[in-house]
Amino acid sequence: MLRTVITDAPFEQTWVLQGRLCGQWAIDIRNEWEETRSSREGRTCVVNLEDVISVDSVGEKALLQMATEGARLASSRAYMKHLLASLRVPQG
């Protein structure tokens, strides 16, 4: 299961992901990311991965897309830091 909370502020959009970024949930988050692209335009986007407990290859692709499109991926947990480093995603 994956829980997603999106918070909009005038200059920033924050995504908080909690749970498993795997399979259909990863596909759903990628679709949601693409659908909300225009609402992020001109704003900073932070994706909080603090409570993500597992990521499969589909989830990795979603994270890469987010990072490529300018999102700052953030987590202090060793698992996520290692995963982001292995994907060569800048961490914020």
Side-chain angles (χ1 to χ4, degrees), residues 23-74:
Q24 186 60 47
W25 296 313
I27 292 168
D28 292 345
I29 202 72
R30 198 168 178 184
N31 290 339
E32 189 168 7
W33 178 260
E34 291 170 358
E35 289 170 7
T36 60
R37 184 175 286 133
S38 64
S39 71
R40 287 189 303 280
E41 205 164 295
R43 294 191 286 169
T44 302
C45 185
V46 178
V47 180
N48 180 322
L49 302 168
E50 197 66 34
D51 294 322
V52 173
I53 57 174
S54 64
V55 180
D56 69 0
S57 62
V58 180
E60 289 177 359
K61 288 178 185 172
L63 293 175
L64 281 171
Q65 180 178 356
M66 291 172 163
T68 300
E69 293 181 12
R72 190 176 83 223
L73 307 182

